[in-house]
Each structure stands twice: as C-alpha cells, then as structure tokens.
Amino acid sequence: MIDDDTLLDCGSGVGELTVEELLRIRRVLLTHSHLDHCNALPLLADVHASHGGPGIVVYSQQETIDALKAHLFNGVLWPDYTVRPRAAQPWVRCIAMEVGDALTLAGGLATVPL
C-alpha cells in the first residue's frame, strides 16, 4: 500500500486486508500483468461490488490492461468487472498510461518508467 487508498500492484498480500481496508482502496498502480502482481484484483473488485463500494481505478500500460481484459476480467474465471454493473460505471475502470506519464499521490508522484 502506498497510502490508505492506493496500491502498488495487487498481489496475494491484499488478502490479508480487512473489508474496511479494501473498501478504502480507490486505485491500483499495476506494474505488469503477472499473477503475483494482479491476482487479488478480482477479489478487490468483488468486495467493492458486494459491499457497495465505489469501485477502483487501475492505472497501467495498455498491454497490461489488454491482458487483464483478455485473461482475468473476461467472464470466465471472474465476472467482467470492467463492464459490470454497467459499462458506463463499472467496478473496475482501467486507465492506460505511457512511459513518462505521472500520477499525483499524496506524498509525491508515481511515474511510468522505461
């Protein structure tokens, strides 16, 4: 966790957080699509969906977002939270970032490295 509402990646350690802590998470900075970095994203989305949370925003490079949509949020292993409950307001919104893009955090900036 970077702060109370931001995660750097979303791996198995997220499973140790309480429901209240999970509901405070609003964004995930995802470095890449390997399972050890994203395997708890469906769990996090499911907690937001089942407890009336606001949902999460995933920031990552486009190829990582494409992998998530093809292999994780595809309606086969988990519901496709990138279009549920409605495409206009999903539980998981993905925002593509490119090398050099920065995201403002409470304590500074996160920048997409080369």
Side-chain angles (χ1 to χ4, degrees):
M1 292 189 76
I2 296 174
D3 53 31
D4 283 346
D5 70 350
T6 305
L7 292 177
L8 177 59
D9 288 330
C10 195
S12 60
V14 172
E16 297 177 16
L17 299 175
T18 66
V19 169
E20 292 76 22
E21 290 170 320
L22 292 170
L23 289 171
R24 281 195 298 265
I25 296 170
R26 301 287 194 269
R27 59 188 177 177
V28 175
L29 313 179
L30 193 58
T31 59
H32 61 287
S33 61
H34 290 166
L35 276 178
D36 58 328
H37 292 259
C38 69
N39 66 7
L41 274 174
L43 168 70
L44 179 58
D46 196 57
V47 167
H48 278 259
S50 63
H51 289 84
I56 58 172
V57 179
V58 174
Y59 295 88
S60 193
Q61 292 182 313
Q62 188 62 53
E63 58 266 21
T64 299
I65 292 169
D66 292 344
L68 291 177
K69 289 183 177 184
H71 303 293
L72 194 60
F73 293 119
N74 60 11
V76 176
L77 296 175
W78 285 91
D80 186 350
Y81 288 120
T82 66
V83 296
R84 286 184 170 206
R86 302 175 285 295
Q89 192 173 17
W91 293 113
V92 176
R93 288 186 319 123
C94 297
I95 297 179
M97 298 181 74
E98 296 184 19
V99 171
D101 286 351
L103 184 65
T104 302
L105 304 172
L109 294 174
T111 305
V112 179
L114 291 174

